Amino acid sequence: MEPSEVQRGLQDVVALESRICFIDGREGRLLYRGYDIRELAERSTFEEVAYLLWYGRLPTAGQLRDLTQRLRELRILPEPLRAWIGSLPATTAPMDLLRTAVSALALFEPEETRPGPSSIGGAQRLTAVLPTILGEFHRRRSGRPPLAPRPELSAAAYLLYAVLDREPTELEARALDVALILHADHELNASTFAARVTASTLSDLYSAVTSAIGTLKGPLHGGANERVMELLDEIGSVDRVEEVVKERLARHERIMGFGHRVYKVEDPRATILRRWSEKVGAARGNLHYYELLRKLEEVVHREKGLYPNVDLYSGSVYALFGIPPDLFTPLFAASRVAGWTAHVLEEYDDLRLIRPTAKYVGPTDLAYVPIGERPDDPGPAGAARPA
Ligand code: SDX
């Protein structure tokens, strides 16, 4: 087959068929297994959405009860891993912690890491335990006592309890539950694609999630939510938004939280998170970040015609809870692990090794010159990789 033209970043390349997530980038629509994200955010819970992503249908009351129970049982960490987390320097980057802890966990749970249907157990295990890994680390670095499993708490409430060391309010728990729903899956985004590439070699689920976490960490992907907050703190007040944005754009810098490879209109998740940012801010009597973000949206859209993506408002909600910014992307991972593992299971069910080709543009047919006959000055860099 004639190689097609290069599509940098695989933009608009259809790599596989999937039944998990549908995105209409022109209409700004997002469906999980056929259900509109707006309805799921309004009426569902993260546990129910995880079931939907893994099994392809909404659960019965009994099925949801069983899954919820199972996820709460799976929150516990093996003692040696808990001790290892406690031994880490407080300066450890939480995304590096997550990536390494998932790898280490596989060493304690080999039966869950075999490819194939047995990996639904690994999917549930990782979805249940990521909050514990984050909570244990954050408590240790804050000098607070270890985490209790708290089986009575929902996934969202437990995640908040794990990182805040206090009972979340009902509003906080619901706001985070909605954020977890919104971040749970997004078709072949970079981290999900990384997970599928790993699974497509028949490697195990824990390796696939490790690949995904390393990919999500990047500021052009999941790392953007933390950088949005850094930008807001640099701007400081609404009357400085215009000046700072224009300076950055003049330097051809990206404004984090804006633009998207697929959405050419507003990301429907940003629409929902904007409402929650205002709601939680108003409840806290603190609309500082919300007002900055509204002005930021106005300026970036006027100057670059760009729309907000999921990362623009999420941090403003987490900051109001008192969650430190370096845990924002890990919160993204604690949700997206449900989507990553759903895609890994789908890959195992319909396996095809993912291996694109490259258009070779380097030199060909170079004559090998023995080292003693090579000139001291090898010529311009690029002909061969410089030493
Ligand atoms: C996520 O794929 C997913 O689904 C991801 C995600 C998910 O749920 O998994 O939705 C989560 O990763 C959201 C995106 C978070 N990242 C950011 O907010 C970082 C800032 N955004 C940009 O880096 C950018 O918009 C991307 C990476 C998200 C998308 O970039 P593309 O599709 O590669 O677009 P591009 O780089 O080709 O840009 C097209 C033009 C360029 O202008 P010109 O150089 O041609 O004049 O738009 C400009 C870009 O400079 N542009 C921006 C911009 N995003 C694009 N200019 C300033 N600020 C931006 N944010």
Side-chain angles (χ1 to χ4, degrees), residues 104-135:
L105 192 61
L107 309 180
F108 294 95
E109 298 168 347
E111 74 284 356
E112 296 290 13
T113 64
R114 272 192 297 278
S118 70
S119 294
I120 187 72
Q124 291 169 358
R125 173 55 165 160
L126 291 181
T127 303
V129 83
L130 287 195
T132 306
I133 294 168
L134 289 176

Side-chain angles (χ1 to χ4, degrees), residues 358-379:
K359 178 181 179 185
Y360 180 68
V361 292
T364 53
D365 307 324
L366 295 179
Y368 182 85
V369 177
I371 192 158
E373 298 167 27
R374 291 173 201 162
D376 289 339
D377 170 8

